[in-house]
Amino acid sequence: MEEFHRIPIVIVEDEDELERFVKGGNQLEEEEREEKSRMDPKDLSNRMKEKGGCCYKEGKFDEALGFYLKALEILDLEQSLSENGRNFELIMGEVVLRSNCIACYVGKKDFNLAISESRKLLDYIKEEGDHHLREKEDLPTLWVNIENKTRYRLSLSLYNSLYCGNKDILHEENSKASIRESFEMIKLVSEYYQESLKVSPPQEISSLYSMVEKTFKAQSFKTSEEEPGKKSSLRDRENQYHITEQGGKTILKQSEPNYLRSYLICFLEEDLESGSYSKSIPSPIPIVNKMSCNNFMEFLKIWQNIYQSNNFLDYYLLFGQIFTKLDKFYNKTEIEGDILERVLERISNILDELKGISPSKTKDKLVSHIFRIVQNLERTPRFDFVALMLTKNFQILDKMVQLRECISEQLFQEIKYFQETQVSKGIQI
């Protein structure tokens, strides 16, 4: 009875199927192998690609790379057996897979291999793209997107290979060439979004563009060795960056104190008036400078481009007139609570950074500029109601008062009076 219990129960549709099963599993296995051999290679390649995609999303870059390389082998074999010459559909599949492999190299921080493969892929894309254009009118959108993704990854890898290697990027000729190539690549990507798609580039592209551009421009200046004991200007120091993973993407993030401090020192050294742009620090999103901003709807369009990045938001808080006219933009409409909270949060961070810069240097114009923005916010409809809903006290006015030694007595008294007025209404910002 025990032996009978171990016999598997097999449900079959007909006697022929039962006979095949009784003859043994070998025949079934042979039929399965034959079925697999008849499978469309493109389908098999797609299965490998899908498995690779799942591994990539989980951060298993080595496993993902293995699947992508297997998929490439299948496509290469299929292309070699093609009787109709070069099949563009197979070429497209190859380009996608090679792009995915490069993404894995970047994810693994193997920047040298990412650089090498990106250059090869860009050459291949150009060669095959030119051949396709001789027969067709346009290239597929996916083709153009992959080309720009590859340019972005090449720029990112070139930039990071220098910093990760602790090289002197301002002096070594090879490093200069790499930064030049990195800038050319990211510039092409940025122009594609702005000129072809007529939209602002994604945050990671704009951030990388800003970083590489600063380094590229720094190469045009002759750097001198610092004198012993002499501290270099913070604006002359290279900003440091680090790599981070977000949502399966490898992106660069700028060290906040470095970029913010350089903004503040620039404002102080150039002795800027409120609403002025810096002459030495370019806009991180050039397209924003071309956008009109005369009402709250136009302001919201700009806001969508800058609110997610502290770098972008801080730049436009300090330079330009976007945030100096908030009371005019919102003269009839209540300001959104999330906008108010985000702006106050960044102002609070700006003041924290400002406290650590040159105590003896006058900060009157800079503090006055920030104070005017706060006053403009206060003049928007129902500011009191929105401010009372905030869960956090940013201590902005307290921080301004603490800068008394660096601002004029008149400005100090204005801030104190404004603070007392807000406290009387139960508002603490």
Side-chain angles (χ1 to χ4, degrees):
M1 188 67 180
E2 179 66 17
E3 292 299 321
F4 178 79
H5 178 68
R6 293 181 180 178
I7 297 175
I9 298 175
V10 181
I11 300 175
V12 296
E13 293 291 334
D14 52 42
E15 293 183 0
D16 291 336
E17 185 178 352
L18 177 60
E19 183 179 358
R20 286 198 302 273
F21 182 84
V22 172
K23 286 181 179 179
N26 291 337
Q27 183 175 347
L28 287 174
E29 291 175 1
E30 289 176 2
E31 290 178 359
E32 287 178 0
R33 282 196 293 270
E34 290 177 2
E35 181 66 25
K36 286 183 179 179
S37 67
R38 292 194 296 269
M39 183 182 293
D40 185 349
K42 286 184 287 187
D43 290 341
L44 186 58
S45 175
N46 284 334
R47 289 188 183 184
M48 294 292 103
K49 185 176 73 172
E50 289 172 3
K51 289 181 179 180
C54 292
C55 292
Y56 182 84
K57 290 178 182 177
E58 295 174 2
K60 301 175 181 177
F61 301 120
D62 286 315
E63 293 181 29
L65 183 60
F67 283 117
Y68 292 144
L69 291 174
K70 287 179 183 177
L72 270 173
E73 290 177 5
I74 296 170
L75 284 188
D76 287 342
L77 178 61
E78 179 70 4
Q79 187 72 272
S80 66
L81 298 175
S82 176
E83 298 178 354
N84 300 320
R86 299 289 286 169
N87 185 320
F88 189 76
E89 185 179 352
L90 292 177
I91 293 173
M92 174 68 79
E94 179 187 353
V95 167
V96 170
L97 287 167
R98 289 176 66 174
S99 173
N100 290 351
C101 289
I102 293 169
C104 291
Y105 298 138
V106 175
K108 293 168 58 179
K109 299 179 176 54
D110 189 346
F111 297 118
N112 289 333
L113 193 51
I115 291 168
S116 173
E117 292 303 312
S118 293
R119 287 170 175 163
K120 291 177 184 177
L121 180 55
L122 286 172
D123 289 341
Y124 184 72
I125 286 174
K126 185 179 186 309
E127 178 184 346
E128 294 295 341
D130 290 345
H131 183 269
H132 180 77
L133 286 173
R134 286 194 289 268
E135 300 177 356
K136 306 286 184 180
E137 292 184 358
D138 297 310
L139 287 166
T141 302
L142 178 60
W143 185 274
V144 180
N145 287 343
I146 292 175
E147 182 178 30
N148 281 287
K149 278 188 177 181
T150 306
R151 287 170 177 163
Y152 167 76
R153 288 171 181 146
L154 175 56
S155 177
L156 177 70
S157 299
L158 284 164
Y159 188 88
N160 278 282
S161 66
L162 299 177
Y163 279 108
C164 291
N166 296 318
K167 295 181 179 179
D168 185 345
I169 61 174
L170 295 178
H171 295 286
E172 292 188 9
E173 289 303 319
N174 290 340
S175 298
K176 288 183 178 181
S178 295
I179 285 296
R180 189 180 304 111
E181 183 181 5
S182 177
F183 180 64
E184 289 171 355
M185 290 296 105
I186 197 63
K187 185 178 180 182
L188 286 172
V189 178
S190 182
E191 289 174 349
Y192 167 70
Y193 277 91
Q194 295 182 37
E195 297 176 9
S196 299
L197 301 182
K198 306 297 183 184
V199 297
S200 298
Q203 178 185 341
E204 61 266 25
I205 292 174
S206 298
S207 297
L208 180 60
Y209 180 91
S210 178
M211 299 174 200
V212 177
E213 183 185 41
K214 289 177 184 177
T215 307
F216 177 71
K217 287 184 175 181
Q219 291 179 352
S220 62
F221 295 95
K222 184 178 180 180
T223 56
S224 58
E225 294 184 0
E226 295 183 7
E227 297 176 7
K230 180 181 178 181
K231 293 184 178 180
S232 61
S233 168
L234 284 171
R235 251 201 309 161
D236 294 335
R237 298 179 190 173
E238 281 301 312
N239 290 330
Q240 298 300 313
Y241 309 96
H242 63 275
I243 306 163
T244 185
E245 298 289 335
Q246 284 187 0
K249 294 181 179 179
T250 303
I251 65 173
L252 277 176
K253 279 196 171 182
Q254 193 172 23
S255 177
E256 180 171 310
N258 284 342
Y259 88 79
L260 181 52
R261 180 161 290 207
S262 67
Y263 285 175
L264 295 174
I265 290 178
C266 170
F267 195 109
L268 295 171
E269 289 184 353
E270 295 184 14
D271 197 27
L272 295 176
E273 299 292 338
S274 180
S276 301
Y277 278 107
S278 166
K279 296 179 181 179
S280 58
I281 299 182
S283 167
I285 317 180
I287 195 173
V288 168
N289 293 19
K290 301 177 183 179
M291 298 172 69
S292 58
C293 191
N294 299 311
N295 54 59
F296 84 96
M297 288 300 296
E298 292 177 345
F299 170 77
L300 288 178
K301 290 180 181 178
I302 293 176
W303 178 259
Q304 290 300 316
N305 286 279
I306 66 176
Y307 81 97
Q308 291 182 330
S309 167
N310 292 342
N311 188 337
F312 301 164
L313 190 49
D314 291 351
Y315 178 89
Y316 290 104
L317 275 168
L318 291 169
F319 308 118
Q321 300 182 1
I322 295 174
F323 289 95
T324 61
K325 300 179 180 179
L326 288 173
D327 55 330
K328 295 181 175 61
F329 300 155
Y330 285 93
N331 57 350
K332 296 181 180 179
T333 307
E334 176 183 332
I335 191 169
E336 292 87 340
D338 58 339
I339 292 180
L340 177 63
E341 186 167 5
R342 187 83 170 93
V343 170
L344 293 178
E345 174 199 353
R346 293 316 305 161
I347 289 177
S348 179
N349 279 270
I350 289 171
L351 291 171
D352 285 337
E353 190 66 35
L354 184 59
K355 286 191 294 185
I357 297 177
S358 303
S360 59
K361 184 181 288 291
T362 177
K363 302 171 183 175
D364 199 68
K365 287 186 178 180
L366 180 49
V367 176
S368 176
H369 169 70
I370 296 172
F371 182 49
R372 301 307 171 211
I373 293 176
V374 175
Q375 286 182 307
N376 288 343
L377 285 169
E378 195 268 342
R379 285 194 286 267
T380 58
R382 302 191 72 194
F383 168 84
D384 295 354
F385 174 78
V386 178
L388 285 169
M389 295 297 103
L390 298 178
T391 58
K392 185 176 180 180
N393 178 8
F394 297 101
Q395 299 180 329
I396 288 173
L397 299 177
D398 285 338
K399 292 174 182 178
M400 288 185 186
V401 170
Q402 292 169 12
L403 293 168
R404 180 173 186 174
E405 294 182 0
C406 305
I407 61 178
S408 66
E409 182 63 23
Q410 180 181 350
L411 178 57
F412 173 75
Q413 293 300 332
E414 287 184 40
I415 295 171
K416 283 293 293 181
Y417 177 77
F418 184 84
Q419 183 182 36
E420 291 169 0
T421 303
Q422 299 308 307
V423 171
S424 68
K425 295 186 291 186
I427 297 174
Q428 293 184 331
I429 57 172

